[in-house]
Amino acid sequence: MMSTMSVGGWLHACDRTTRVVVLTVGTAAVFAYVVFRLRRFGRCTSQTDLTGKTVVVTGANSGMGYCTALDMARRNARVILASPYMQLAEKAKAKIIEATGNQNVVVRFLDLGSMASVRQFVQEIKQESRLDILVNNAGVINLEQKITEDGLEINMAVNYFGHFLLTVELLDLLKKSTPSRIVNISSIAHKNSRMKTADMEYLLNDTSVSPFRKYATTKLAIVLFTRELARRLDGSGVTAYAVDPGYVATNIGKTLPMITKLLFLPFALVTKSAEVGAQTAIYCAVSDEVKGQSGKYYAECRLAEDSVHPLANDLEATRKLWELSEKWTKPTLSC
């Protein structure tokens, strides 16, 4: 007759390495679940109607971008889904129209890894009569870390440089449509970046940095960009916000190898849905409460300035990043 072995007995029978791994993962999972249960996720409760307004959302074919676009459509905005995946974006458009009844939803091609594509997209958007909200949502973690046709590291190009060029080139239209808003999606991961003012140029475009450290640096760059953008736009009627959506279940890690996904498995217990993860971006896009807070960092639909990397408060660093960004993306407009 087969005997039943307790968990403790099974662990005792395992070798030391297996016991350490099992106990470590188990402890992390329990801790993550407890944190998840105790944490209160923010919700945007604003009833702002966007009739007559135009919204652009990058990476809108899935995940948080889709959920943000869906919310904007429910508020009666004209919504432009920006994506390099046209077939997926068209499906997203159809779902949004079916869910909201808002027929004013369009798809435009945008590959943020190509500055030529960004410029082409800008020319199309400039045909719009106005632009009230720009949500810079798209992001990747690309292990390949290749150099793009523009001489930019791919993660930096998609997550940061493409959005920098897109935003600067659309400022005239945003200013024409004031009051207007720019919402930049960052991450609490930005605090893991080791970027300093002195080595900024090296780190931004270096392919020897690990993809996860590079991702952190792209998100720190977004925070610094938001700070400097707000400073340069002061008094213009255009405001900018940096957002930490939290740990969200999206497709951003779809290119990661299976072993890496397994290592992150315990964090599955604390992931938000894309709909919940989109709430702070939506909040910064439509809420009256963020007026007068341009350049600030938000999480859980509230100010989270105590969570910002110290470099974000370094005026020399924000200015230097802006100058390097202009050098590498060559915008036709200046701010």
Side-chain angles (χ1 to χ4, degrees):
M1 184 176 180
M2 184 179 294
S3 61
T4 302
M5 182 181 293
S6 67
V7 174
W10 178 80
L11 280 174
H12 182 73
C14 293
D15 62 82
R16 184 175 182 276
T17 301
T18 301
R19 289 199 299 272
V20 170
V21 171
V22 171
L23 289 172
T24 300
V25 172
T27 301
V30 171
F31 176 76
Y33 182 70
V34 170
V35 171
F36 174 79
R37 298 297 296 179
L38 292 176
R39 188 174 183 185
R40 296 179 62 188
F41 295 141
R43 280 275 181 179
C44 178
T45 58
S46 170
Q47 300 300 309
T48 299
D49 182 83
L50 297 177
T51 299
K53 308 292 186 181
T54 299
V55 181
V56 169
V57 183
T58 69
N61 57 273
S62 65
M64 291 189 300
Y66 169 80
C67 292
T68 302
L70 176 64
D71 183 275
M72 299 294 109
R74 282 184 174 141
R75 296 172 187 273
N76 303 309
R78 171 173 169 78
V79 184
I80 301 173
L81 313 182
S83 172
Y85 309 109
M86 296 302 284
Q87 190 172 12
L88 293 176
E90 289 292 348
K91 289 181 179 179
K93 169 188 171 180
K95 287 170 61 180
I96 290 173
I97 292 175
E98 181 180 5
T100 66
N102 184 346
Q103 299 290 324
N104 206 359
V105 181
V106 298
V107 172
R108 295 288 183 265
F109 179 83
L110 172 63
D111 177 3
L112 287 160
S114 165
M115 299 307 108
S117 176
V118 173
R119 291 186 175 92
Q120 178 59 42
F121 177 81
V122 166
Q123 292 308 310
E124 294 176 5
I125 300 304
K126 283 184 175 180
Q127 302 306 308
E128 300 285 332
S129 61
R130 61 185 305 114
L131 176 57
D132 302 271
I133 301 170
L134 170 62
V135 183
N136 290 321
N137 164 83
V140 298
I141 300 178
N142 195 316
L143 296 185
E144 190 177 354
Q145 297 200 89
K146 66 179 182 180
I147 299 297
T148 70
E149 62 191 26
D150 302 290
L152 303 170
E153 193 278 323
I154 185 64
N155 291 285
M156 287 301 306
V158 174
N159 293 358
Y160 172 64
F161 285 119
H163 282 131
F164 173 86
L165 181 62
L166 172 66
T167 302
V168 173
E169 296 286 29
L170 287 175
L171 284 179
D172 279 354
L173 187 55
L174 284 160
K175 289 177 180 178
K176 176 184 173 183
S177 312
T178 56
S180 52
R181 300 184 186 185
I182 300 161
V183 181
N184 296 323
I185 307 303
S186 180
S187 166
I188 192 61
H190 84 274
K191 296 189 74 173
N192 294 326
S193 174
R194 295 175 181 173
M195 183 169 68
K196 299 176 182 177
T197 306
D199 61 6
M200 188 178 288
E201 186 163 8
Y202 165 74
L203 281 180
L204 286 174
N205 234 23
D206 180 32
T207 55
S208 67
V209 179
S210 76
F212 299 104
R213 189 73 69 182
K214 178 68 70 174
Y215 177 79
T217 297
T218 67
K219 294 304 180 180
L220 176 57
I222 288 171
V223 177
L224 269 63
F225 167 50
T226 305
R227 286 281 211 259
E228 183 66 13
L229 184 62
R231 187 184 71 80
R232 290 171 180 250
L233 291 174
D234 186 34
S236 69
V238 184
T239 50
Y241 310 90
V243 168
D244 166 27
Y247 192 72
V248 184
T250 68
N251 292 326
I252 193 169
K254 64 183 178 181
T255 61
L256 300 178
M258 183 55 65
I259 185 63
T260 304
K261 292 178 181 178
L262 289 174
L263 290 174
F264 281 96
L265 194 58
F267 292 98
L269 293 171
V270 295
T271 56
K272 299 178 180 181
S273 67
E275 187 269 334
V276 175
Q279 292 301 305
T280 306
I282 295 168
Y283 174 79
C284 288
V286 303
S287 175
D288 288 336
E289 295 172 18
V290 303
K291 290 180 178 178
Q293 299 295 325
S294 187
K296 301 297 186 182
Y297 182 80
Y298 280 81
E300 304 302 343
C301 297
R302 58 179 178 266
L303 272 172
E305 285 291 294
D306 57 341
S307 299
V308 177
H309 193 291
L311 201 63
N313 297 316
D314 184 336
L315 187 57
E316 181 186 357
T318 63
R319 284 175 171 168
K320 183 173 182 179
L321 176 63
W322 187 282
E323 291 168 359
L324 288 172
S325 301
E326 286 187 323
K327 170 184 173 183
W328 283 329
T329 63
K330 300 177 177 60
T332 57
L333 299 175
S334 60
C335 174

